[in-house]
Amino acid sequence: MRTQVGIIGAGPAGLLLSQLLHLKGIDSVVLERQSRAYVLSRIRAGVLEQGTVDLLKTAQVGERLDREALLHGGIELAFNGKRRHIDMKGLTGGSVVTVYGQTEVTKDLMDARNALGGQLVYEAEDVTPHDFDGDKPRLTYRKDGIEHEVFCDYIAGCDGFHGISRRSVPQTALKTFERAYPFGWFGLLCETPPVHDELIYNNHERGFALCTMRSPTRSRYYIQCATDENVDDWSDDRFWDELRSRLPGDIAERLVTGPSIEKSIAPLRSFVAEPMRFGRMFLAGDAAHIVPPTGAKGLNLAASDIYFLSRALTAVFETGSNDLIDSYSAQCLRRIWKAQRFSWWMTSLLHRFPESSPYEQRLQQAELDYVTSSPAAATALAENYVGLPYE
Ligand code: FAS
Ligand code: PHB
C-alpha cells in the first residue's frame, strides 16, 4: 500500500490530522491497534479551548458540537468550605471554554473519516515505523494474521504515551523530562444532572475533588486517590460518600447521585519528549507529552500539535517548502511547556501532597487566597485555562 502520510493511532490527534490532510487533498492511512468500540469506550477529557473548537470546525466536524456543547465563562475554586468564582470571560475579554467530551470529538472525527472514505485500519497489530531517518519511510503491521506494508512520505506518531513511535526513536536522539505525582484521579461518569452549572475545583484536606459534566443530564466527578487504589474496591456509594465529604456544604447537599456508567483511575504525570521530529517521523499529542488533567490541557495540546503538523505537511506537499516541518518541534514545544507549567501549577494549587510540610500547606492556602482575591492573579489563571494563543 502507498500513501502520503502514515498515521499511527486513531485517537483525537491521529483522526484530526487525517481529516485536515484529506481536506487539503493529502491522503493518509491511520493504523489503530484497538477496535473502534474500544477507542470510543475510553472516557477522558471534557473541556475544549477555543482553538480546539476552531480547528474542529476547520476539519468540518463542528456541527454536533455546536448543537450539543456547553459554553462556560467561568469556573469555581472551593477551599476551606467557601467557593470563589473565577470570571474567565470577564478577565480575558470574552474567551470561554467549551464542555464537550473527548468521546464525542472522537466519534465525530471517526464518522467524518468514514463518510469521506478515510483509510482507517482498526485492530492493526504490531504497527512498526521503519526508515524514517531516510527518504522512504514505511509502516508495517499485521491484520487478521496477514502482514502488511505501507510506503509513505511521512509518518505521524499519534499513538499516545504508551505507543510505539516514541519508543522507535534511538534513545540517544531523545531527551525526556518527567515528574510523577504521588496520587491519581478516580473518575466516575453518571447519568445525573451536574451539581452546578460550572466546574468546581475543590481543595480539601481529604484530597482534591472535581465536579464537571458532559451535558445537562450527564455528570463526571473526580476524586484524588492513592496511586495504588483499585477501582474494584470502590462501590458507587463509597465514591459518593468520599466525594460529598470533600465538597462545600451547600454543594454536597445538592449532589444528585446515581449508578456509575464508568469508573476508572488515571495516574498523574508530567512528561515531555524533545524533540518531536525525527527525520520523516513526527510525534504529536500524548506520544510526545503528558500533563496532569487538572488544567484540562491534554486534549487541547494534542489539537495545537495537529494544527502545526497539518499546516507543515500541507506546505511540503503544496509548495515543497520544508520551513514549517523544520520549525514544527520548536513551535509545538513553546506552547507545550507553557501548558506544562500551568498544569503543574493547578495541580500543586489544588491537591494534597502526602509529604507536604505545614509550611507548604500554608503556602498553598495563601496561593488560593491570592488567586481568588487578586484580579491580576485570577487573570493569569483565566488566560491559561481558556488557552494561550497558538502563535
Ligand atoms: P490517545 O492516547 O488518545 O490516542 C492514541 C491512540 O493510539 C489510541 O487509540 C491507542 O489505542 C493507539 N495506539 C497506541 N499504541 C499503538 C500502536 N502501537 N499501534 C497502533 N495504535 C496505537 N485530558 C484532558 O484534557 N482532560 C482530562 O480529563 C483527561 N483525562 C484523561 C484520562 C486518562 C485515563 C488518560 C490516559 C488521558 C486523559 N487526558 C485528559 C488526556 C487525553 O485526553 C489525551 O490528551 C488525549 O487522549 C490525547 O490524544 P492523542 O494524542 O490522540 O492520544
Ligand atoms: C472532565 O470534564 O473530564 C475534566 C474537566 C476539567 C479538567 C479535567 C477533566 O481539568
Side-chain angles (χ1 to χ4, degrees), residues 51-362:
T52 302
V53 172
D54 294 344
L55 197 57
L56 291 171
K57 292 184 177 176
T58 301
Q60 298 178 6
V61 293
E63 196 182 318
R64 185 162 74 103
L65 181 152
D66 270 342
R67 284 201 313 271
E68 298 179 8
L70 304 171
L71 299 184
H72 282 199
I75 58 172
E76 288 201 357
L77 301 186
F79 55 103
N80 298 332
K82 57 193 181 212
R83 294 159 47 203
R84 291 288 180 272
H85 182 246
I86 303 287
D87 175 17
M88 299 190 297
K89 187 172 183 179
L91 290 165
T92 60
S95 298
V96 297
V97 292
T98 296
V99 174
Y100 190 69
Q102 175 173 326
T103 306
E104 309 317 316
V105 171
T106 306
K107 188 176 183 311
D108 294 341
L109 284 165
M110 285 176 172
D111 292 348
R113 296 307 303 123
N114 289 342
L116 293 173
Q119 296 185 82
L120 277 68
V121 180
Y122 290 102
E123 297 174 290
E125 298 174 73
D126 293 333
V127 177
T128 307
H130 304 273
D131 307 332
F132 46 84
D133 50 354
D135 58 6
K136 293 189 181 341
R138 59 195 172 89
L139 295 170
T140 55
Y141 70 95
R142 189 173 53 257
K143 171 83 175 170
D144 303 330
I146 300 169
E147 299 294 333
H148 296 269
E149 198 163 33
V150 181
F151 294 92
C152 39
D153 297 318
Y154 296 96
I155 293 172
C158 301
D159 46 349
F161 183 69
H162 300 290
I164 184 66
S165 56
R166 191 180 71 249
R167 283 188 285 124
S168 300
V169 173
Q171 291 315 296
T172 50
L174 202 65
K175 188 168 178 53
T176 60
F177 306 81
E178 186 156 15
R179 172 187 289 250
Y181 295 88
F183 40 73
W185 276 21
F186 189 134
L188 181 145
L189 186 71
C190 54
E191 203 64 36
T192 57
V195 72
H196 192 50
D197 55 5
E198 289 185 333
L199 275 63
I200 307 177
Y201 288 82
N202 301 267
N203 171 298
H204 189 275
E205 62 188 7
R206 292 181 64 88
F208 168 78
L210 171 60
C211 306
T212 176
M213 63 197 76
R214 290 293 178 271
S215 75
T217 60
R218 179 165 286 201
S219 303
R220 184 144 177 86
Y221 295 98
Y222 295 96
I223 54 173
Q224 172 184 343
C225 66
T227 51
D228 59 357
E229 273 299 351
N230 185 326
V231 178
D232 297 336
D233 294 340
W234 285 73
S235 67
D236 289 3
D237 287 345
R238 182 182 177 195
F239 180 92
W240 292 124
D241 291 344
E242 184 57 41
L243 173 67
R244 214 180 263 113
S245 74
R246 301 185 187 186
L247 301 179
D250 59 334
I251 295 295
E253 281 168 18
R254 294 204 318 242
L255 183 65
V256 177
T257 64
S260 58
I261 301 170
E262 184 267 358
K263 285 188 283 193
S264 55
I265 291 177
L268 265 60
R269 71 163 56 89
S270 297
F271 174 86
V272 180
E274 292 185 4
M276 293 167 59
R277 179 215 180 163
F278 306 90
R280 287 180 172 246
M281 184 167 78
F282 301 86
L283 304 183
D286 277 17
H289 43 76
I290 295 285
V291 285
T294 327
K297 291 300 159 208
L299 175 56
N300 293 298
L301 276 181
S304 52
D305 288 352
I306 295 305
Y307 167 79
F308 291 122
L309 185 54
S310 60
R311 193 179 64 163
L313 290 171
T314 301
V316 169
F317 287 116
E318 283 185 348
T319 68
S321 163
N322 286 337
D323 292 352
L324 292 179
I325 59 170
D326 290 344
S327 62
Y328 166 73
S329 182
Q331 187 130 42
C332 288
L333 286 165
R334 277 189 74 242
R335 191 167 197 271
I336 288 160
W337 276 109
K338 288 177 186 164
Q340 287 282 337
R341 182 209 67 82
F342 175 66
S343 302
W344 159 81
W345 177 78
M346 281 284 273
T347 303
S348 306
L349 180 70
L350 293 161
H351 290 74
R352 285 291 145 146
F353 287 72
E355 304 307 317
S356 69
S357 66
Y359 177 79
E360 287 163 328
Q361 287 168 25
R362 284 286 191 275

